[in-house]
Amino acid sequence: MGKTVVLISTYELGHQPFGLASPAAWLREAGARVVCLDVAVQPLDEAAVAEAALVALYLPMHTATRLATALIPRLRALAPRAHLCCFGLYAPANRELLHRLGAQTLIGGEFEAELVALYKRLTNDQRPTTNELASTPGEESSFVVRRSSFVVLERLAFRVPDRSDLPPLASYARMRMPDGSERVAGYTESTRGCKHRCRHCPIVPVYGGRFRAVPREVVLADIRRQVVAGAQHITFGDPDFFNGPGHALPLVHALHDEFPHLTYDVTIKVEHLLQHSRHLPALRDTGCLLVTSAVESVDDTILAIFDKRHTRADVVRAVALLREVGLALNPTFVAFTPWTTRATYLDFLRAIRELELVESVAPVQYAIRLLIPAGSLLLELPEVRALVGPFDDEALCYRWAHPDPAMDALQRGVMRAVHQGQRAGASRQEIYERVWALASGESVREMPGRRHAPRALVPHMSEPWYC
């Protein structure tokens, strides 16, 4: 057995971490003794860390990265001689901070082969050098996204992920059904990256509008293993399942043929729901329960700033299409931005009610505040650079304040109302009514416009989307 590699996930949206299972397969094939630790659901194995030659933290999202930066000093103390690596979307974006904390190698993009190469250098007693921060010649602004020498986008020959030492699927989020039952949920990815360049998205600075498909047989083999482990439902974590319909549709047909009782959920942008609406019945008929879509706003000005490539009218059409087909929608929003006014926030809440989406919206979505992380393409806009303060190493973002302090106060109040409602076991309808009353000073009964009886409950994950 080769040297010990410890792969660590701090948080992955309540899913069993694909970002550990995939590199674990590659590293074990290369002869490494791999220990996978998901510290979101299990204690840190200090003994394994202490004997590791390589400790690698997976940073797929903002929350995971904040938790990792807090953990790194402990890892350095436990394994001062180990080589420390950070990999995933947020590794290159936060390269300067991670280097200061002691990370020696950072890998963004397609990370598996690079982790194997790093392990082999360590095994051969070659001392890996720290990534150098590469900047573009003539660069003048610290806000400009820099192409890092450690963003890797080469096409890989993917292996089937190895989940053998990860916590059981029952430790993670479940799919909650309208009848009150729950389905054990697995997780996989059939593509990486994204064809689009939404300005607020963390995928864009790394992949730059490109995406990579995982071979169908690799994905199906991964799902087979999870079904054996108890999965009754699969979340496809692709940034957009319809980036490549020619890849996605044969995959779900093959999946349904093999496991006709298995359900799944996907993420698809509004633009693609409209462009590929003819394929929505195929999703329903192969077991899709839920479609997550980053709606973000119903204000056309904000949507244009984000470069979402859809409009409010498109959102209305997409909601109708999914409802007609019989697919549940899980919309996500950036409810508070520097351009959100009280009037536009009330309009957003009113639209949720008018579109009969109250039961479809996770309450935390009413309180989400725009996050501007390092490398965000929003920083290309002069108006955004003018409103942000210095980068905050603790918060891992550029701080901004709303021109109207009352809007920042409202956001904090909405977040408190959501958390209090959830702790008290309030329904989505009840929390919506509290948020409306807080923002408007009126009860829902006084809301102008059409009246709707609450819609039936919809399928949703027990742990909602969060950044």
Side-chain angles (χ1 to χ4, degrees):
M1 182 64 72
K3 294 187 176 183
T4 299
V5 178
V6 175
L7 301 175
I8 300 176
S9 173
T10 57
Y11 179 62
E12 199 170 344
L13 284 170
H15 304 303
Q16 190 186 64
F18 181 92
L20 301 194
S22 182
W26 288 65
L27 287 160
R28 286 175 177 139
E29 182 183 279
R33 176 182 178 268
V34 179
V35 178
C36 293
L37 300 176
D38 183 359
V39 296
V41 297
Q42 65 184 146
L44 182 70
D45 185 339
E46 295 188 348
V49 173
E51 68 177 50
L54 171 61
V55 177
L57 292 105
Y58 181 49
L59 311 182
M61 53 187 296
H62 182 260
T63 300
T65 308
R66 290 191 67 182
L67 292 169
T69 58
L71 181 62
I72 286 174
R74 184 178 173 194
L75 299 174
R76 292 275 54 160
L78 287 168
R81 294 184 178 85
H83 190 89
L84 184 62
C85 171
C86 294
F87 65 100
L89 285 177
Y90 275 72
N94 294 283
R95 53 193 175 270
E96 294 173 0
L97 172 62
L98 294 169
H99 275 308
R100 290 201 304 271
L101 289 172
Q104 295 152 287
T105 298
L106 308 177
I107 307 169
E110 305 297 280
F111 46 76
E112 286 90 345
E114 288 296 305
L115 284 170
V116 169
L118 175 60
Y119 167 74
K120 288 181 176 179
R121 290 196 295 272
L122 289 165
T123 300
N124 294 330
D125 294 321
Q126 299 174 13
R127 184 168 182 160
T129 57
T130 300
N131 289 111
E132 297 297 331
L133 299 181
S135 59
T136 303
E139 181 175 82
E140 296 179 355
S141 171
S142 62
F143 290 122
V144 174
V145 178
R146 291 180 287 183
R147 173 58 60 192
S148 303
S149 60
F150 39 86
V151 171
V152 181
L153 296 178
E154 67 178 89
R155 296 183 184 276
L156 302 180
F158 289 98
R159 276 64 163 173
V160 178
D162 185 345
R163 304 170 181 273
S164 57
D165 66 336
L166 284 168
L169 293 176
S171 303
Y172 295 92
R174 298 181 177 224
M175 174 58 72
R176 289 179 173 164
M177 303 297 288
D179 63 4
S181 64
E182 293 186 339
R183 300 177 73 86
V184 175
Y187 176 93
T188 195
E189 297 175 4
S190 68
T191 61
R192 291 176 171 175
C194 186
K195 292 166 63 174
H196 299 277
R197 298 176 60 85
C198 304
R199 286 195 180 101
H200 64 306
C201 178
I203 298 170
V204 178
V206 174
Y207 281 89
R210 285 161 286 192
F211 82 106
R212 299 287 183 257
V214 182
R216 186 190 317 165
E217 281 309 313
V218 172
V219 180
L220 290 172
D222 184 29
I223 294 173
R224 286 187 197 105
R225 293 181 180 181
Q226 293 183 74
V227 170
V228 170
Q232 301 162 305
H233 177 90
I234 295 293
T235 290
F236 284 98
D238 308 38
D240 193 314
F241 200 62
F242 275 175
N243 267 325
H247 175 64
L249 291 169
L251 171 61
V252 294
H253 280 293
L255 179 64
H256 185 65
D257 288 345
E258 188 168 352
F259 302 108
H261 301 297
L262 190 71
T263 56
Y264 65 91
D265 67 277
V266 297
T267 297
I268 303 175
K269 75 193 311 282
V270 170
E271 177 186 359
H272 285 169
L273 290 173
L274 302 182
Q275 181 181 352
H276 303 298
S277 60
R278 66 189 183 280
H279 297 313
L280 296 179
L283 294 184
R284 176 201 60 205
D285 294 343
T286 54
C288 185
L289 295 177
L290 183 68
V291 176
T292 296
S293 192
V295 174
E296 311 302 40
S297 179
V298 293
D299 182 271
D300 285 341
T301 298
I302 294 172
L303 289 170
I305 292 170
F306 286 177
D307 196 18
K308 283 299 297 179
R309 295 176 55 170
H310 69 249
T311 64
R312 181 192 185 112
D314 292 334
V315 174
V316 173
R317 288 175 57 210
V319 170
L321 281 170
L322 289 170
R323 191 163 287 154
E324 180 182 338
V325 170
L327 289 171
L329 174 65
N330 174 40
T332 65
F333 297 97
V334 183
F336 288 90
T337 75
W339 311 281
T340 305
T341 65
R342 189 173 292 266
T344 59
Y345 186 71
L346 289 172
D347 180 58
F348 156 64
L349 294 177
R350 193 176 294 112
I352 297 298
R353 181 174 169 87
E354 291 295 314
L355 292 171
E356 302 179 59
L357 290 175
V358 172
E359 291 297 337
S360 300
V361 177
V364 72
Q365 297 299 321
Y366 301 128
I368 297 292
R369 191 173 190 271
L370 176 64
L371 184 72
I372 306 180
S376 171
L377 264 64
L378 283 170
L379 296 166
E380 293 180 342
L381 301 177
E383 60 267 35
V384 173
R385 295 202 297 271
L387 67 86
V388 300
F391 188 78
D392 186 322
D393 283 349
E394 182 178 355
L396 291 183
C397 65
Y398 289 94
R399 296 283 194 180
W400 60 269
H402 198 284
D404 178 2
M407 290 304 296
D408 285 336
L410 176 61
Q411 188 272 334
R412 293 190 294 269
V414 170
M415 185 65 83
R416 284 194 299 271
V418 168
H419 286 164
Q420 289 167 0
Q422 290 177 325
R423 284 196 296 269
S427 68
R428 289 186 169 187
Q429 176 69 33
E430 290 167 336
I431 294 175
Y432 171 86
E433 292 179 2
R434 294 182 192 186
V435 171
W436 171 261
L438 181 64
S440 69
E442 302 172 349
S443 73
V444 169
R445 289 186 294 275
E446 299 172 278
M447 179 186 290
R450 293 160 46 200
R451 298 287 183 263
H452 299 285
R455 291 186 66 87
L457 298 178
V458 298
H460 62 276
M461 293 300 295
S462 59
E463 186 162 345
W465 176 94
Y466 204 72
C467 67

